[in-house]
Amino acid sequence: MLLTYNNIEFQYKLMILDTFKLDGKTALITGCKRGIGFAMAEALAEAGADIIGVSATLELHGSEIEKAVTALGRKFQAYQCDFNDRQSLYQFIEQFKSENSTPDILVNNAGTILREPAAEHPDEYWDKVIEVNQNAPFILSREIGKDMLVRGSGKIIFTASLLTFQGGITVPGYAASKGAIGQLTMALSNEWASKGVQVNAIAPGYIATDNTKALRNDPERSTSILGRIPANRWGEPNDFKGPIVFLASAASNYMTGTVMVVDGGWMGR
């Protein structure tokens, strides 16, 4: 009986792990050239998905992310799109739909941040950040999401931020855009969950990427930030591999409208 019990338990564990597999799936991910987006794309490929990457400056052939994905035996296709240019975005969507079937997974990760105190924050900073971080993800989610609804299945994942919940300092446009992403996650989920499309977001804490370089190079701010993180370290892009695979897979089918915080404990302080 003990042997039989162990065999059954072992088979059960395999079934649970199978729900995280993405074999036969295709993921469209924006902003995957470096940082968190690179790690997310690589993780989805490690779980079995083929990857379609799009970034403003992503090489159409021979990029580092293409090499990483194809080394795993997965397919990779690259597109370029300036998310600050509405016309460029619609051209990308038209081209993408003409060349591909509806992806199983959409990851809205592309984003930007521009720093200037609120009293001096210029219109062009505000407009660019809102366009890239808020408007483009909505439009892309709407246009890909409508096809997911017809199919009756899909996973949409946004990259949110701690500033989805907090105001930040000298980044009013970024805070506003990431607050909007949290609300958009819930709004789309409310309409689409009953139709088989789950919509969630991941909110990174303070991660060692290009976006936080200015903070990490400021001794006072860096010390202050690190002192509040219970994990006692800046996050790394690879910290997002597990969360993105979970939200993109069948393991999270009953999870929708949620912003998952990956912050080393920051929000618990």
Side-chain angles (χ1 to χ4, degrees):
M1 291 293 294
L2 183 61
L3 179 61
T4 302
Y5 173 77
N6 284 340
N7 283 341
I8 293 173
E9 183 182 41
F10 180 66
Q11 292 171 4
Y12 177 70
K13 289 180 179 177
L14 282 179
M15 290 174 62
I16 291 298
L17 293 178
D18 283 345
T19 66
F20 290 85
K21 292 181 178 179
L22 298 174
D23 298 303
K25 304 292 187 182
T26 299
L28 170 59
I29 177 167
T30 71
C32 64
K33 185 175 180 177
R34 58 184 179 270
I36 292 173
F38 187 109
M40 287 179 170
E42 187 175 46
L44 295 174
E46 288 171 350
D50 292 327
I51 306 298
I52 301 171
V54 53
S55 297
T57 60
L58 179 64
E59 301 89 342
L60 295 180
H61 301 285
S63 66
E64 291 303 310
I65 186 57
E66 179 180 356
K67 293 174 185 177
V69 169
T70 55
L72 294 164
R74 312 303 175 194
K75 297 177 183 177
F76 183 85
Q77 186 175 1
Y79 289 91
Q80 290 183 344
C81 177
D82 179 359
F83 294 104
N84 187 42
D85 182 334
R86 190 73 61 90
Q87 183 177 359
S88 175
L89 176 59
Y90 277 114
Q91 288 174 344
F92 160 68
I93 292 170
E94 181 179 3
Q95 181 183 2
F96 174 82
K97 288 193 174 189
S98 71
E99 297 176 351
N100 302 275
S101 57
T102 303
D104 303 283
I105 303 151
L106 169 62
V107 181
N108 287 295
N109 175 70
T112 190
I113 188 168
L114 295 171
R115 302 176 185 277
E116 195 70 33
E120 290 84 40
H121 207 81
D123 288 356
E124 55 267 29
Y125 276 25
W126 175 273
D127 291 343
K128 180 176 181 177
V129 171
I130 294 298
E131 189 67 26
V132 173
N133 292 5
Q134 178 178 325
N135 296 342
F138 168 69
I139 292 169
L140 189 56
S141 296
R142 182 190 65 202
E143 297 304 309
I144 298 298
K146 65 175 63 175
D147 295 333
M148 290 179 170
L149 294 174
V150 171
R151 184 180 58 203
S153 66
K155 301 277 188 174
I156 297 177
I157 304 155
F158 294 97
T159 296
S161 168
L162 292 184
L163 299 196
T164 299
F165 312 101
Q166 300 174 328
I169 300 172
T170 74
V171 287
Y174 186 83
S177 68
K178 292 302 182 177
I181 288 299
Q183 295 299 114
L184 181 59
T185 298
M186 293 184 285
L188 296 183
S189 175
N190 288 344
E191 294 190 36
W192 295 353
S194 64
K195 299 176 176 64
V197 178
Q198 291 86 49
V199 184
N200 291 290
I202 297 175
Y206 286 93
I207 314 301
T209 64
D210 291 347
N211 276 359
T212 60
K213 187 176 181 179
L215 292 177
R216 288 181 287 117
N217 288 340
D218 182 329
E220 184 176 345
R221 289 293 307 281
S222 181
T223 299
S224 174
I225 288 168
L226 192 60
R228 179 175 162 166
I229 301 173
N232 197 36
R233 68 174 177 87
W234 287 76
E236 299 290 339
N238 281 352
D239 289 321
F240 296 86
K241 284 191 167 185
I244 194 64
V245 170
F246 171 62
L247 290 180
S249 71
S252 63
N253 278 353
Y254 196 61
M255 184 172 179
T256 189
T258 297
V259 179
M260 178 189 289
V261 179
V262 183
D263 67 347
W266 173 280
M267 289 297 292
R269 290 294 290 267

